[in-house]
Every structure is written in structure tokens, then in C-alpha cells.
């Protein structure tokens, strides 16, 4: 929606004074002192910004990575987790959930009831940093992905074992696709023809046709699959297995598991490797996997399918990750320690940790 620009208070007073003889004001009404003018909003940095979902705080945290500071907190709703930018970079989409937080093995009968009215995909306008809309999402949305044309959202609904299809223009759910138990990761293939969904409850990945919404194949993975990254050509998919301590490699053309890449325990790590999120590097030659409670990030060579190095420690239970535009920096969201790490990719050194508070879950980079 277009908005006409508002006159500033000073401009309005000038116009009113010039038109006083016509009745805009009276000569007895004194002009307010200059100090009553509304101050201008502080200018935002000219460089890139990080947007980080804070699951426990109900905010999206805005960070200036160059200064290493939090510059704003945007209240978005309950339990924000998965986030993504729209293709044109004008909006931020945030998965919101009214389901209570519960880890594996928790007796759900003892949890408070879910607030289904809180479920949805929040839409944040990045010009104003305001939530301008909330899409339907199906219950308990955790992660999602956009179609290449930006017209469709695919959302995992953990509570119901489904993937919801959301029409972006209408903001409504148009289809539901049954997948496995407790679906989580959602990634669209580079050509947009298929979407993969991990199901952590039954250790599988479903491949779904985006034209017919039919399940084309189901592939078994290691224990508790979390997220998926396709290679640039879409020929291969890498899937993280949190409890399996490994990545599953899938031939995406044949929809067949072709390899398993075990991730060793990093030296000095407080726990074994727990692969969480996986990201393809900007040059397409490597995949990076955050290792959860181990506190490290694994770097895997796409061609050889071997772990090249382990970066860290980067923070407590790193989950979400994002790269700078030039691929030289990696940002990790570290939930339990309430911070975001800035990692130099070439050296593997943590350059700084930016304190955020709350529980950082996912992170994206918005370039100017």
C-alpha cells in the first residue's frame, strides 16, 4: 500500500501561519517552541544488517555487524523461529508458534495448552520495521521456504505431521501434504519443482512435487534429521542428522541416499557433534553444518563428501547460520549463550560475539 508523505510539524506550522488570514489559525494562537518538534528517527547503518529470531523473547533482533551492536528489537509474536527474506529484500518472513517449548522426550501431557491463534507467518516491512501482516501457516510452524517466484510458501507443521502450502498473495493455506512424524526442515530445490521436508520423528525426508503436491519419494536418513541444503545444480542434497552425528547425502535426481558423512567430535568440545542447520557456501563448493551442543561448525567438501575442518568453538549450541554477501564471514545464532558469533571463514577464527540476550534461533543477512 502506498502512503503519502506526512508533513513534518515544522512544515505544517509554516503552512498554517502563511494561511492564517484565511482561517487556518488565529493570530492569538502562539507557535509552539522549537523544542516541541518530534525528533527524527536515528539513521540506520549503510552496511548490511543481521535479522535474528529470538525464540524466547518474541522478537526479531536487528544487529549492525560492522559495529557489533544490537540496534533494534522488533516485537513479532510468540516463539519466532524460522526466518527468511523475500526475493526483493523488502520484507522479512518469520514463523510464529503458539506451541509451548519442549525438548525431545518431554511429556507433552504436562505442558500448557497451545495457543493456536498465535500460529502464523509474520510479515515484517523492512522499511518501517513493523509487522504489517500475518499469513496462515497451519499449526505450530517451525521452518519454511519460498518458491523461486516468491508466490508460494511451504511450511512444516510439527504437531500435525504435515507440510502446509501457503498462497503468498492471499496469505492463506491452500493445501496440506501429509509427510512423516514431526516435520521440521523445509527446502525447495533450485529449479522449484520439488520441496524436501525432514521428519525427525521417523528419520526420513519426503520429496514433494510442487505442481501436484504429491509425495514423490521418501528417503530414510540418520537419527533426527533437521535441515536440507541442495547443491547449486540441484543434483545433490545434504541432510543433517542431529542424533545421528552425521549428514545424509541424497542423489536428488534418483531420490536415493548415496552416502553418509560422519562428523567427529571436535577436540575439546563439551559434547559429540549434533548437526543442526546446513548451509551451502556462496561459491557452492562447501556445506557448513552447525553442530549444536558441540559448539562447533563442520565444513564439508561437496566434491569429496568429506569433513575438511571443524570451526570453533563458536558459541553455545549454534543453530542458525548465514553468510556475508562475499562469503568471507559466517554468522551463527547461539541460543543458550544469547549471542551471535562473527566468524572469519578463511581462518575459522571467531572475530567477535555480539550479545543479544534471549535465545537466538535463526539469522539472515540483509544487504544494502
Amino acid at each position: 500500500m502506498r502512503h503519502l508523505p506526512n508533513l513534518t510539524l515544522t512544515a505544517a506550522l509554516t503552512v498554517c501561519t502563511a494561511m492564517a488570514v484565511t482561517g487556518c489559525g488565529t493570530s492569538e494562537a502562539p507557535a509552539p517552541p522549537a523544542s516541541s518538534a518530534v525528533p527524527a528517527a536515528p539513521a540506520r547503518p549503510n552496511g548490511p544488517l543481521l535479522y535474528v529470531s529470538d525464540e524466547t523473547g518474541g522478537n526479531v533482533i536487528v544487529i549492525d555487524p560492522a559495529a557489533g551492536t544490537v540496534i533494534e528489537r522488533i516485537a513479532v509474536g510468540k516463539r519466532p523461529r524460522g526466518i527468511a527474506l523475500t526475493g526483493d529484500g523488502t520484507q522479512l518472513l518469520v514463523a510464529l508458534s503458539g506451541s509451548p517449548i519442549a525438548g525431545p522426550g518431554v511429556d507433552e501431557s504436562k505442558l500448557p495448552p497451545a495457543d493456536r491463534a498465535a500460529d502464523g507467518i509474520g510479515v515484517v516491512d523492512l522499511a518501517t520495521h513493523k509487522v504489517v501482516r500475518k499469513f496462515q501457516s497451519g499449526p505450530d510452524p517451525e521452518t519454511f521456504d519460498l518458491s523461486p517466484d516468491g508466490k508460494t510458501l511451504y511450511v512444516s507443521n510439527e504437531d500435525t505431521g504435515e507440510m502446509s502450502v501457503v498462497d503468498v498473495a492471499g496469505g492463506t493455506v491452500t493445501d496440506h501434504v501429509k509427510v512423516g512424524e514431526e516435520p521440521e526442515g523445509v527446502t525447495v530445490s533450485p529449479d522449484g519443482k520439488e520441496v524436501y521436508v525432514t521428519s525427525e520423528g521417523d528419520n526420513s525426508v519426503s520429496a514433494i512435487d510442487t505442481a501436484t503436491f504429491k509425495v514423490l519419494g521418501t528417503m530414510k536418513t540418520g537419527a533426527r534429521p533437521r535441515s536440507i541444503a541442495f547443491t547449486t545444480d540441484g543434483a545433490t542434497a545434504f541432510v543433517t542428522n542431529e542424533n545421528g552425528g552425521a549428514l545424509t547425502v541424497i542423489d536428488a535426481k534418483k531420490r536415493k541416499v548415496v552416502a553418509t558423512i560422519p562428523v567427529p567430535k571436535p577436540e575439546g568440545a563439551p559434547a559429540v557433534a549434533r548437526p543442526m542447520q546446513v548451509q551451502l557456501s556462496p561459491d557452492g563448493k562447501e556445506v557448513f553444518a552447525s553442530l549444536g551442543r558441540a559448539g562447533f561448525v563442520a565444513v564439508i567438501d561437496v566434491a569429496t563428501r568429506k569433513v575438511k575442518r571443524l570451526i570453533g568453538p563458536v558459541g553455545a549450541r549454534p543453530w542458525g547460520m548465514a553468510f556475508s554477501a562475499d562469503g568471507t564471514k559466517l554468522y551463527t545464532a547461539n541460543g543458550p549463550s544469547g549471542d551471535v558469533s562473527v566468524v572469519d571463514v578463511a581462518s575459522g577464527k571467531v572475530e567477535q560475539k555480539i550479545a543479544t540476550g534471549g535465545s537466538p534461533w535463526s539469522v539472515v543477512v540483509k544487504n544494502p
Side-chain angles (χ1 to χ4, degrees):
M1 178 184 296
R2 295 181 60 195
H3 296 279
L4 295 176
N6 292 322
L7 292 172
T8 64
L9 180 57
T10 302
L13 289 169
T14 302
V15 172
C16 189
T17 301
M19 297 180 64
V21 295
T22 64
C24 177
T26 66
S27 59
E28 291 78 18
S35 61
S36 68
V38 178
R44 291 182 191 165
N46 294 323
L49 294 175
L50 307 182
Y51 290 88
V52 182
S53 58
D54 173 8
E55 182 179 11
T56 57
N59 299 307
V60 167
I61 302 167
V62 188
I63 294 173
D64 175 3
T69 57
V70 172
I71 61 173
E72 193 173 353
R73 297 177 191 273
I74 306 169
V76 291
K78 289 186 177 180
R79 210 178 167 194
R81 288 179 288 177
I83 58 176
L85 294 169
T86 54
D88 61 8
T90 63
Q91 296 179 324
L92 179 75
L93 306 179
V94 188
L96 306 171
S97 173
S99 292
I101 296 175
V106 170
D107 183 355
E108 295 186 7
S109 67
K110 297 181 180 179
L111 295 174
D115 177 9
R116 292 280 75 99
D119 294 342
I121 305 296
V123 182
V124 179
D125 176 69
L126 294 184
T128 63
H129 281 182
K130 302 293 184 184
V131 177
V132 294
R133 194 177 181 189
K134 188 166 83 170
F135 296 152
Q136 293 179 4
S137 65
D140 189 27
E142 182 162 353
T143 64
F144 59 88
D145 202 5
L146 270 167
S147 60
D149 62 9
K151 295 180 179 180
T152 309
L153 271 175
Y154 304 100
V155 185
S156 62
N157 301 132
E158 189 170 7
D159 284 358
T160 57
E162 295 178 325
M163 180 195 77
S164 289
V165 181
V166 180
D167 173 64
V168 170
T172 57
V173 174
T174 58
D175 284 279
H176 299 275
V177 182
K178 274 292 182 184
V179 288
E181 183 182 345
E182 298 182 26
E184 181 162 326
V186 183
T187 303
V188 180
S189 61
D191 63 8
K193 294 182 178 179
E194 295 185 19
V195 56
Y196 277 27
V197 180
T198 65
S199 296
E200 62 184 48
D202 57 8
N203 306 328
S204 68
V205 174
S206 302
I208 300 160
D209 188 307
T210 57
T212 64
F213 304 126
K214 302 295 184 184
V215 176
L216 301 173
T218 300
M219 297 142 283
K220 298 300 289 185
T221 67
R224 207 174 191 212
R226 287 297 210 171
S227 69
I228 314 112
F230 285 94
T231 51
T232 305
D233 60 6
T236 307
F238 291 84
V239 182
T240 53
N241 306 306
E242 181 185 6
N243 290 350
L247 277 75
T248 297
V249 184
I250 295 173
D251 181 329
K253 303 302 180 184
K254 298 179 180 178
R255 304 184 195 95
K256 179 182 178 181
V257 173
V258 293
T260 299
I261 305 171
V263 181
K265 179 182 178 181
E267 185 177 352
V272 297
R274 299 282 192 183
M276 305 289 282
Q277 191 180 62
V278 61
Q279 290 270 359
L280 185 70
S281 63
D283 64 9
K285 295 180 180 180
E286 298 171 326
V287 289
F288 286 59
S290 58
L291 299 183
R293 291 179 177 85
F296 281 66
V297 173
V299 184
I300 295 116
D301 183 79
V302 168
T304 64
R305 298 174 183 171
K306 294 184 181 299
V307 176
K308 293 175 61 175
R309 58 187 174 128
L310 299 170
I311 295 173
V314 297
R317 200 172 184 252
W319 189 319
M321 300 181 295
F323 287 97
S324 61
D326 60 7
T328 62
K329 308 296 182 189
L330 177 71
Y331 308 104
T332 67
N334 313 313
S337 53
D339 53 35
V340 171
S341 294
V342 181
V343 182
D344 178 73
V345 172
S347 67
K349 301 295 185 182
V350 176
E351 295 183 332
Q352 62 176 321
K353 289 186 178 181
I354 304 169
T356 60
S359 183
W361 199 94
S362 188
V363 55
V364 295
V365 181
K366 171 69 168 64
N367 294 300

